[in-house]
Amino acid sequence: MAAPVVTAPEAVQAPESTAPPGRRRRGWRRLPFWLGLIAASVLFLYPFLWVVSASLKPRSQVFDNALIPKQFAWENFVNVWTVAPVLTWFFNSVLVTLAAAVAVTVSSALVAFGFAYFRFPGRNVLFGLVLATMMLPTAVTMIPVYMIWNSVGLATTQVPLWAANLFGSAFYIFLLRQFFLGLPRDIFEAARIDGASYWGLFWRIAVPLCKPAMIVTFVFELKASWSDLLKPLIYLRDTELYTMPRGLKAISDQFGQSGEQQWEVVLAGSVITTLPMVIVFFLAQRHFVYGIATQGRKG
């Protein structure tokens, strides 16, 4: 009896693409979004990259618009520490910025919690008046505020740079109030039944649950105070009290009056001033992005 002939199975051709057609179409539809995102990223990153590049160039090549220097001048970052007391200005900025950020975060959170938790007549009207202060331009209150600080003998100190934040900020009050309103009120009522004080409600319940919002407020004010030039220009007279933005302005003015613009030194100081904020954002980006996203959903 002859053995049966076994034929080899026909080769199965693999599909050209394992992705379903619908997914491929969605991928092509998102292509303009990714291209726009890349373009926006390049647009925002280019100024910072240009400053870093220019700070590493010799004086004759600062404005040649080449992102990669033909000749690296590392001595610019050494010279910036010798032409002025930059280290003193840096520590002044750190102290003033931390004081301003902590003061406005705590004070705004207290006021926001009061508007979110307590029910009292005229609450909405009072909150509307707080928000109405955001409509006042800085130039309107600049002279009266200076006269107040001058009357108490603090107009030439660093106190006006941060002490005004002890009274909160309308924008941060609004931001934090929206987070506090999103918390279940039953948690606070249960804590009150257990004997918790109002301070306990705020510090032990509201603050931990709204930590992302507190970090957003802290980082926002940290950046605003760190880069502020207007207030130091108004109040600071002593060189030893200058902050970094005020000090860089003084260096630029000094070089301009001498007829020799040493922009490479000014740009090196600008890089030194910018890097701390970049580091702070990377350290707090998880809470920062979550806080912004949460606020957007509550919108």
Side-chain angles (χ1 to χ4, degrees):
M1 181 177 182
V5 178
V6 180
T7 58
E10 296 182 358
V12 179
Q13 295 183 352
E16 296 181 358
S17 176
T18 57
R23 183 176 300 179
R24 291 200 301 270
R25 286 195 298 269
R26 287 194 298 269
W28 282 107
R29 290 174 182 175
R30 299 190 65 181
L31 182 60
F33 169 76
W34 289 111
L35 292 177
L37 188 62
I38 293 173
S41 301
V42 172
L43 183 65
F44 279 95
L45 284 175
Y46 179 79
F48 178 70
L49 296 177
W50 185 92
V51 170
V52 174
S53 174
S55 66
L56 294 172
K57 297 176 181 178
R59 188 175 310 169
S60 60
Q61 302 175 12
V62 169
F63 295 103
D64 62 1
N65 288 328
L67 290 181
I68 300 178
K70 300 177 183 177
Q71 179 183 355
F72 287 88
W74 299 102
E75 62 272 12
N76 294 340
F77 286 90
V78 178
N79 295 335
V80 72
W81 301 98
T82 59
V83 297
V86 175
L87 186 62
T88 301
W89 297 345
F90 186 87
F91 281 112
N92 288 341
S93 290
V94 171
L95 293 177
V96 170
T97 300
L98 289 178
V102 171
V104 80
T105 302
V106 175
S107 58
S108 299
L110 285 170
V111 177
F113 180 74
F115 278 119
Y117 178 77
F118 295 103
R119 304 288 190 267
F120 54 89
R123 183 186 67 161
N124 294 333
V125 175
L126 185 59
F127 183 66
L129 292 175
V130 172
L131 295 183
T133 61
M134 297 172 60
M135 304 297 294
L136 293 175
T138 304
V140 174
T141 59
M142 187 183 302
I143 295 177
V145 170
Y146 178 84
M147 294 177 64
I148 293 173
W149 289 117
N150 188 50
S151 64
V152 296
L154 297 174
T156 57
T157 67
Q158 295 177 345
V159 175
L161 305 184
W162 61 269
N165 288 354
L166 292 171
F167 302 96
S169 167
F171 173 74
Y172 297 137
I173 290 172
F174 170 77
L175 177 69
L176 293 171
R177 175 181 175 270
Q178 297 306 110
F179 272 87
F180 289 143
L181 286 175
L183 300 178
R185 192 173 180 84
D186 295 342
I187 300 177
F188 298 102
E189 298 300 334
R192 286 292 295 169
I193 294 175
D194 291 338
S197 62
Y198 291 123
W199 172 256
L201 297 181
F202 169 76
W203 186 250
R204 297 183 179 181
I205 300 177
V207 170
L209 292 178
C210 292
K211 185 172 66 172
M214 304 285 285
I215 293 177
V216 168
T217 302
F218 185 83
V219 174
F220 271 176
E221 185 59 29
L222 206 68
K223 185 269 175 188
S225 181
W226 181 267
S227 59
D228 184 26
L229 176 60
L230 181 61
K231 288 182 181 178
L233 277 174
I234 295 174
Y235 294 103
L236 300 183
R237 301 290 182 270
D238 188 358
T239 306
E240 296 296 323
L241 298 178
Y242 282 0
T243 58
M244 282 298 292
R246 180 65 181 91
L248 292 177
K249 178 66 168 59
I251 294 176
S252 179
D253 293 342
Q254 176 186 353
F255 292 153
Q257 293 173 1
S258 64
E260 185 180 15
Q261 290 285 1
Q262 300 182 20
W263 288 110
E264 73 283 1
V265 177
V266 177
L267 292 173
S270 300
V271 173
I272 295 174
T273 306
T274 306
L275 283 179
M277 290 298 99
V278 176
I279 295 173
V280 167
F281 176 78
F282 275 106
L283 292 177
Q285 64 174 333
R286 182 170 63 88
H287 299 286
F288 184 78
V289 174
Y290 177 77
I292 294 294
T294 305
Q295 179 63 22
R297 290 197 300 268
K298 291 180 180 179

